[in-house]
Amino acid sequence: MTQEEKKTYYITVGSGEITQSRTDSAWNFKIEATDDEIIALREYFDQNYSTEWQNFFRAHVPYVQYHYDRENDAYDETMKKIYGMIYELGDEEARKHIESMGILGSELQ
């Protein structure tokens, strides 16, 4: 079994952008990932993009509160998965930043 080669990627969480070029745009995190890991991360970003649209339409239903909304729960859970992957694949700076955010909590132990 051969180990798949890891490549350097730059991640912009807000826009869900994954690029291999450091100069394309501003980025948040630098990671080293295999093709399969990048595919998984891209799927998480795509999943949240879809959920954002569901949230947009749900926002126009005034009687559903945020904390009773499954779409928001799904979005939050996927964000944890995204940050978890970035933490696992990221450089030291990425890990320290995610630790300082406190978003993963007990998952880091």
Side-chain angles (χ1 to χ4, degrees):
M1 180 189 304
T2 62
Q3 186 173 357
E4 201 173 342
E5 182 183 338
K6 291 193 178 230
K7 301 172 191 152
T8 302
Y9 294 90
Y10 300 91
I11 311 299
T12 307
V13 175
S15 64
E17 185 177 357
I18 301 172
T19 183
Q20 285 190 284
S21 174
R22 185 179 185 144
T23 59
D24 279 354
S25 61
W27 50 273
N28 306 114
F29 300 104
K30 177 182 173 184
I31 67 170
E32 297 287 329
T34 64
D35 291 342
D36 289 342
E37 290 166 334
I38 285 301
I39 289 168
L41 185 58
R42 167 59 40 221
E43 287 173 354
Y44 287 144
F45 279 125
D46 290 347
Q47 183 179 345
N48 264 6
Y49 179 76
S50 174
T51 303
E52 284 174 344
W53 276 107
Q54 293 170 14
N55 284 339
F56 171 78
F57 292 116
R58 199 258 348 125
H60 294 87
V61 181
Y63 59 85
V64 178
Q65 296 180 5
Y66 178 88
H67 55 283
Y68 293 120
D69 190 1
R70 287 178 313 201
E71 286 82 12
N72 282 322
D73 293 342
Y75 184 88
D76 293 347
E77 190 58 36
T78 304
M79 286 305 296
K80 283 185 179 181
K81 290 176 183 177
I82 288 169
Y83 280 108
M85 280 195 78
I86 293 171
Y87 183 85
E88 291 296 319
L89 302 171
D91 60 8
E92 187 64 26
E93 186 177 341
R95 286 190 290 280
K96 284 183 180 179
H97 183 77
I98 291 170
E99 286 172 5
S100 75
M101 294 170 65
I103 192 169
L104 298 179
S106 62
E107 287 97 343
L108 294 178
Q109 296 156 355

